Amino acid sequence: MTKEKVFEGSIRQKNKAIIFNAAKKEFVTYGFKGASIKRIAERANIARANIHYYFKDKTDLYQQLLSSIIKVWNNDYDTLTADNEPKEVLSAYIRAKVMHAKNDPDASRIFASELIHGAPVLNEYLNSDFKVWLQSKVAVIETWIQQGLIDDVNPHHLLFMIWSSTQHYADFNVQVVAALNKDAMNDEDFEAVVASLTQIILKGCGVK
Amino acid sequence: MTKEKVFEGSIRQKNKAIIFNAAKKEFVTYGFKGASIKRIAERANIARANIHYYFKDKTDLYQQLLSSIIKVWNNDYDTLTADNEPKEVLSAYIRAKVMHAKNDPDASRIFASELIHGAPVLNEYLNSDFKVWLQSKVAVIETWIQQGLIDDVNPHHLLFMIWSSTQHYADFNVQVVAALNKDAMNDEDFEAVVASLTQIILKGCGVK
DNA sequence: GTCTATAGTTAGATAGAC
DNA sequence: GTCTATCTAACTATAGAC
């Protein structure tokens, strides 16, 4: 490993991160098809041709961005395990999902837009890794039901409810702030969301 | 009113409806920016230039499509009123929303995509008619709380939860069918959704 | 009301100098 | 690793014949 190679590697990493951030905004604003490499380059302050130097084409850039988003989710917001009582685990999971909606709404929006438009890129993921990951979550809930710790709810629909009701504050934020008569949601607002969702979902599942 | 004018009017109406249906599919597939009038014309089997005869430009077509979607919602799926007990009203509202997700998922997806991408066209609506409409829904829930018919829940967050958890089956259908290991959801699946959501939300709100 | 032809833009992608 | 120049393709929108 020569000195030059290490240096190249770090430039490459830095520039890819800059491009990712610019691409995130562009894809959120215009969707995959509507996003333009020209505007991504302008947002990143990088010459248009350089985007093509780092990424094969627009699809490649988009795929890598989606992969990085999913990787962060699986590392940072994946708290639904059987290690504790359902009350604590579900509360922590709801909180983690709401905080993600607060801290990185654009990631949630890009994922949502991809699914809404039929998941042309993520279809393979949904039918492989996602199914395995989901089954581990469903198993946790089924165990609780068998142990009588929560009501006999459909595990899939409970998970969908938690995902949709938390992601809503990222994906539909523009409608939420209009409804709440605000310019933007603040820390207090997000705490109120956590409290409301936790209250209704835990009671709704008969969590002991 | 001459015979010709009546006939023209009906041709116009028929062709606009054909274009709307084609545009719906195109906008759902590629988003607003990515949608092309060429492909809308092909889907509608109408010459490209004729789209411009009926609609000023792409934005005009998109705006009119969104308006027609909102109009249908307000006429057909707006069952949340204070006429009955919360148990019946909330059950009927959840069912109506799920059935809309089942019967016209593309309408839900176009609306969702518009909001996710910042509501460039619907911003005005969200800050006018929508707020008035929403306030009437919030008032219904507040009345129930004052009468002790349901728990002291935040009316806005309860509404968001109902919207998000029901629309989820339209907007994120591709993820749902992957999760359920199905090719598509059938009537039974949607009934299971209604049952699960009604069970959790009604119990979660302490509906008497 | 419909169609063909075309003007005018904007886009993705690459070649080649530095 | 970066930039300019350029090719090729696609799209919106309009003019004008039918």
Side-chain angles (χ1 to χ4, degrees):
Chain A
M1 227 199 282
T2 68
K3 208 174 181 180
E4 282 80 7
K5 267 205 174 164
V6 174
F7 191 59
E8 275 172 23
S10 98
I11 286 180
R12 206 178 171 80
Q13 237 178 335
K14 196 189 112 204
N15 281 343
K16 280 186 77 165
I18 292 171
I19 294 169
F20 270 150
N21 271 324
K24 212 173 192 174
K25 287 210 177 71
E26 176 72 10
F27 284 128
V28 159
T29 311
Y30 297 112
F32 170 68
K33 196 94 205 268
S36 102
I37 291 181
K38 182 177 185 283
R39 277 190 302 259
I40 292 173
E42 282 162 6
R43 285 178 200 270
N45 253 309
I46 283 178
R48 183 162 61 253
N50 280 26
I51 309 283
H52 286 102
Y53 176 74
Y54 287 107
F55 299 94
K56 189 178 149 284
D57 53 26
K58 194 165 79 164
T59 304
D60 181 42
L61 169 54
Y62 181 67
Q63 276 173 331
Q64 290 196 38
L65 179 59
L66 276 174
S67 290
S68 81
I69 288 172
I70 291 173
K71 205 175 287 173
V72 169
W73 285 0
N74 288 341
N75 287 338
D76 298 353
Y77 298 100
D78 196 13
T79 67
L80 189 69
T81 58
D83 294 343
N84 284 91
E85 303 255 290
K87 189 180 170 179
E88 277 130 57
V89 175
L90 284 176
S91 299
Y93 191 52
I94 291 168
R95 172 172 292 277
K97 297 288 288 180
V98 172
M99 287 307 135
H100 176 250
K102 178 188 172 189
N103 295 327
D104 197 358
D106 283 345
S108 181
R109 288 176 193 132
I110 288 174
F111 188 76
S113 186
E114 164 71 9
L115 294 195
I116 285 173
H117 297 110
V121 166
L122 283 187
N123 230 313
E124 206 192 303
Y125 161 75
L126 290 177
N127 285 296
S128 54
D129 292 359
F130 169 70
K131 285 192 178 178
V132 177
W133 171 87
L134 175 67
Q135 195 42 50
S136 70
K137 307 294 149 189
V138 168
V140 171
I141 296 170
E142 282 172 342
T143 306
W144 291 339
I145 295 172
Q146 280 158 18
Q147 297 176 337
L149 294 172
I150 68 172
D151 290 348
D152 185 14
V153 297
N154 182 307
H156 286 107
H157 295 314
L158 172 57
L159 286 171
F160 297 153
M161 176 182 267
I162 296 175
W163 298 345
S164 61
S165 61
T166 54
Q167 287 164 13
H168 185 82
Y169 294 89
D171 303 343
F172 293 76
N173 193 268
V174 61
Q175 186 183 35
V176 170
V177 298
L180 299 178
N181 259 310
K182 298 233 164 190
D183 288 331
M185 289 175 72
N186 58 32
D187 291 359
E188 238 173 88
D189 296 322
F190 279 103
E191 285 302 325
V193 170
V194 172
S196 287
L197 295 184
T198 308
Q199 175 190 350
I200 297 175
I201 292 174
L202 264 63
K203 182 170 181 174
C205 298
V207 170
K208 299 295 179 299
Chain B
M1 230 198 280
T2 69
K3 209 174 183 179
E4 282 81 7
K5 267 206 175 165
V6 173
F7 190 57
E8 276 170 23
S10 97
I11 287 179
R12 204 177 172 81
Q13 237 177 334
K14 195 188 113 205
N15 281 342
K16 281 186 75 166
I18 292 170
I19 294 169
F20 271 150
N21 272 322
K24 215 174 192 172
K25 287 209 177 72
E26 176 71 10
F27 284 129
V28 159
T29 310
Y30 298 112
F32 170 67
K33 197 96 204 272
S36 103
I37 291 181
K38 181 179 185 280
R39 276 191 302 260
I40 292 173
E42 283 162 6
R43 286 177 198 271
N45 252 309
I46 283 178
R48 184 162 60 249
N50 279 27
I51 309 283
H52 286 103
Y53 176 75
Y54 288 108
F55 298 94
K56 191 179 149 282
D57 52 27
K58 193 164 78 163
T59 304
D60 181 42
L61 169 54
Y62 181 67
Q63 277 175 331
Q64 289 196 40
L65 179 59
L66 275 174
S67 291
S68 81
I69 287 171
I70 291 172
K71 205 175 285 170
V72 170
W73 287 359
N74 288 341
N75 287 338
D76 298 354
Y77 298 100
D78 196 14
T79 66
L80 189 70
T81 59
D83 294 343
N84 284 89
E85 303 253 292
K87 189 179 169 180
E88 277 131 57
V89 175
L90 284 176
S91 299
Y93 191 53
I94 291 167
R95 172 171 292 276
K97 297 289 286 181
V98 172
M99 287 306 136
H100 176 250
K102 178 189 172 188
N103 295 327
D104 197 357
D106 283 345
S108 182
R109 289 177 192 133
I110 287 174
F111 188 76
S113 186
E114 164 71 9
L115 294 195
I116 284 173
H117 297 110
V121 166
L122 282 187
N123 228 315
E124 205 191 305
Y125 162 75
L126 290 177
N127 286 295
S128 55
D129 292 0
F130 168 70
K131 285 191 178 179
V132 177
W133 172 86
L134 175 67
Q135 194 44 50
S136 70
K137 306 294 149 191
V138 169
V140 171
I141 295 170
E142 281 172 342
T143 306
W144 290 338
I145 295 172
Q146 280 157 18
Q147 296 174 337
L149 295 172
I150 67 171
D151 290 348
D152 185 13
V153 297
N154 182 309
H156 286 106
H157 295 314
L158 172 57
L159 285 171
F160 296 153
M161 175 181 267
I162 296 174
W163 299 344
S164 61
S165 61
T166 53
Q167 287 165 13
H168 185 82
Y169 294 89
D171 304 343
F172 293 76
N173 193 268
V174 61
Q175 187 182 33
V176 169
V177 297
L180 300 179
N181 259 309
K182 298 233 167 191
D183 288 331
M185 291 176 71
N186 58 32
D187 291 0
E188 236 173 88
D189 296 323
F190 279 104
E191 284 303 326
V193 170
V194 172
S196 287
L197 295 184
T198 308
Q199 175 190 348
I200 296 176
I201 292 174
L202 264 63
K203 182 169 181 175
C205 298
V207 171
K208 300 295 179 300

